[in-house]
Each structure stands twice: as C-alpha cells, then as structure tokens.
Amino acid sequence: KKRPIRKLASIKPPQAPLAGVRVVEIGNYTTAPLACRQLGALGAYVVKVEAPGGDLGRSLPPVRDGQGYFFTLGNSDKRSLMVDLRTDSGKAMFRNLLSKSDILVENLKVRSLARLGFSEKEIARINPRLVHCSTTGFGIDSPYSSRAAMDTTIQGMSGIMDLTRSADGVPYKTGISIADLAGGQFGLLAALAALAYRDRTGRGQFVDLSMH
C-alpha cells in the first residue's frame, strides 16, 4: 500500500530556541552588538536602539553603500530604532521598550544610563523580570570604573600584549580583537544564564560584566 505524499507546505519548520524572547540592545562597536547578533540568530526579536547619528561602528571601513562591513556583520537579525534619550519622548519610548522586553544588553560607559534616568534600580522597577546585562571595560565597582576602554586597552592591562611580543620584544595586541569578542560571547552566555534563572524564579537579574 502506497503511503500518501505529504505536501511540503504542511511541514512546519522547527521553532527557533529563543522565539518569543524580546531583546533591547543599546551600545556601539562589538560587545553588545555581538551578543545580540547571536541572540537574534537564535530567534529572539532584537531591537537595536541607536542614538541620533547611529552606532559609532556604522561607518568603519571598508564601506559599501555607506555602511561598513564590520557593522553589517555584527548587526544581522535585528530591527533598528533611533531614540534620543536626552528628550522626554525618547525616554518614554525607551521605557516602553523595556517594559515589554526580556533582555537588555548594553555596553555604554559606566553610569551612562543612570545619568539619563535609567539606573539599574529604575530599570528593575520598570520591569522586574528584565535581564539587564551591562558590559564595560572594568566593571562598575572597579577603581578604574570611570575609564573608557577599547580592546587594545584591555589587552594591554590584562597582560595579553605581554604574551604576544614582536621579535624585538615590543608588546603587540593580537591580530583579532579578542577582548571585544570574548566580551560579546560572555555577554551572550550571561544573558542566557540569567534568562534561565528568571524563568525559574520570576526575578530578573543585573549582570555587571567586565571585559578586563
């Protein structure tokens, strides 16, 4: 007896692991965008919040059609929204996004959001179930917390450059930006772990992640 042939249209694709999870990203360059790129690839609905002028990485060369390859590769599977957090309307829009989201990932300078009215406590008040992952150079409680840091800074201060010297002994950074990349991947891991904890307990988390 012949089996009936199923129509391809009737075969539903498997649901993505993070389908239904809503993510807000606010940051520049690598760490936050990389973490959220991966969340988006896993099926999350990611809204990238950009200040007027956009992510600082948008114009990094090489550029095609006005947009850098670096930015394009790190920001797939996202929706972008311009929000000016210095204005009342921008604050209201951001507050509304947070109230409906599961995860916030940001890599702004320490206390940048707090100075705009969105401290960790205020964000938790807006949405007690929100996972808030903040990635900075040295962490909130570090003696260096007020210092801005890029990949090269972290490679130098962590000792990585001491291990990758030139033939004449001069310390050099690694060929790729490993501190930025590791920061993004640890941000992804922290966000997923905190989300699992939230789903078990009903309580959100604040994650203070130091690249250093």
Side-chain angles (χ1 to χ4, degrees), residues 6-78:
R6 289 191 298 168
K7 295 181 180 179
L8 290 178
S10 66
I11 302 175
K12 294 182 179 180
Q15 192 175 49
L18 295 184
V21 173
R22 296 181 66 89
V23 178
V24 174
E25 172 203 317
I26 179 167
N28 295 284
Y29 295 122
T30 305
T31 52
L34 176 60
C36 291
R37 176 193 186 277
Q38 308 288 37
L39 291 171
L42 291 171
Y45 185 94
V46 181
V47 176
K48 182 180 180 68
V49 173
E50 299 186 64
D55 184 325
L56 297 175
R58 274 187 176 272
S59 58
L60 287 180
V63 175
R64 180 176 181 180
D65 298 329
Q67 182 166 291
Y69 282 51
F70 171 85
F71 177 86
T72 301
L73 289 171
N75 289 280
S76 60
D77 296 305
K78 301 177 186 178

Side-chain angles (χ1 to χ4, degrees), residues 84-137:
D84 190 346
L85 290 175
R86 297 167 298 180
T87 66
D88 290 341
S89 60
K91 292 178 192 297
M93 188 181 300
F94 189 56
R95 188 175 291 107
N96 183 52
L97 281 173
L98 295 179
S99 70
K100 298 177 180 179
S101 297
D102 300 287
I103 302 173
L104 166 65
V105 180
E106 47 100 355
N107 65 346
L108 303 179
K109 291 180 182 178
V110 170
R111 303 302 181 196
S112 291
L113 281 178
R115 286 191 289 271
L116 293 165
F118 294 96
S119 65
E120 295 89 60
K121 289 184 178 180
E122 176 60 17
I123 289 174
R125 188 195 66 78
I126 293 169
N127 186 349
R129 289 174 54 82
L130 185 72
V131 169
H132 176 187
C133 180
S134 170
T135 303
T136 57

